[in-house]
Amino acid sequence: MDFSWITNDPILVGSIVFVISLFAFALIQVKRSQTKAFEQLRQQNRHLDKELQKANKQLLEVRSVVVGLGQRASEQQDIIKHLNERITELEQTDNDGRLYSRASKMVQLGADLNELIEECELPKAEAELMMSLQKKIAGKEKVPPLESNPDGQRSLARQRRVSR
């Protein structure tokens, strides 16, 4: 095949050289834009990696806080369980206190000695003591005055010795 006709026509040669140059220039521009886009993607990837590392650290911190809170919640549950057991124990052992409270209320409402003995299962001496205490509290029975002056008590003791 004879390509001599191509070399004889300078316009055609110039056109072919121009098209090839234009194509080469376009390829170079495409390569540059791809390189620039690749670099931007690489920077974006680095930024996302840093964000991922921060998020992982925060997740670890949250996990440790949750574990700590779980332990505290478990400790609080143990304390509540112990306190509930203790309350139940105290309620069972405080039956005497309830009986005395009931007896005190009955005396205030006007119960007599036999009712206290029967209803509250108190010994006679304790029932009498409850009656006496409630009367003193209500002001029905006189309470001997207490002397707050120690010198006055000494002088009373001297007067008693002298009068004997």
Side-chain angles (χ1 to χ4, degrees):
M1 199 163 172
D2 185 21
F3 291 105
S4 61
W5 59 273
I6 297 176
T7 55
N8 291 339
D9 192 8
I11 295 178
L12 185 62
V13 171
S15 298
I16 291 173
V17 169
F18 178 73
V19 169
I20 292 173
S21 298
L22 191 60
F23 184 71
F25 181 73
L27 282 177
I28 291 171
Q29 290 299 329
V30 167
K31 178 72 174 164
R32 283 182 188 167
S33 67
Q34 284 180 343
T35 304
K36 189 175 184 179
F38 178 74
E39 202 53 47
Q40 287 176 346
L41 287 174
R42 190 179 344 189
Q43 287 176 358
Q44 187 178 9
N45 190 22
R46 285 183 198 149
H47 177 71
L48 291 175
D49 280 343
K50 288 178 183 179
E51 290 294 319
L52 180 62
Q53 288 174 353
K54 286 179 186 178
N56 282 336
K57 287 179 183 178
Q58 289 174 349
L59 180 62
L60 288 174
E61 290 174 5
V62 168
R63 281 183 185 167
S64 46
V65 167
V66 167
V67 167
L69 288 175
Q71 290 173 344
R72 285 186 179 173
S74 177
E75 290 170 0
Q76 294 300 320
Q77 286 175 341
D78 291 343
I79 290 171
I80 289 171
K81 182 180 176 184
H82 172 73
L83 290 175
N84 284 333
E85 290 171 356
R86 184 70 177 133
I87 287 170
T88 303
E89 181 182 310
L90 289 173
E91 286 174 345
Q92 291 173 356
T93 59
D94 194 28
N95 287 336
D96 292 339
R98 285 190 214 154
L99 288 177
Y100 288 115
S101 296
R102 182 172 177 220
S104 174
K105 191 72 170 173
M106 286 177 64
V107 170
Q108 289 174 356
L109 294 174
D112 66 357
L113 187 65
N114 289 331
E115 285 178 305
L116 285 178
I117 293 171
E118 290 174 17
E119 293 293 324
C120 298
E121 300 176 2
L122 293 176
K124 184 177 179 182
E126 289 183 14
E128 289 173 345
L129 180 62
M130 287 293 289
M131 298 282 289
S132 175
L133 286 174
Q134 285 302 321
K135 286 179 183 176
K136 286 180 182 177
I137 290 172
K140 294 179 183 175
E141 191 175 306
K142 287 191 174 184
V143 178
L146 294 175
E147 187 69 41
S148 64
N149 183 359
D151 294 331
Q153 287 179 350
R154 288 183 190 146
S155 64
L156 284 175
R158 285 186 200 140
Q159 288 174 1
R160 286 184 192 152
R161 278 189 238 143
V162 172
S163 63
R164 288 184 191 169

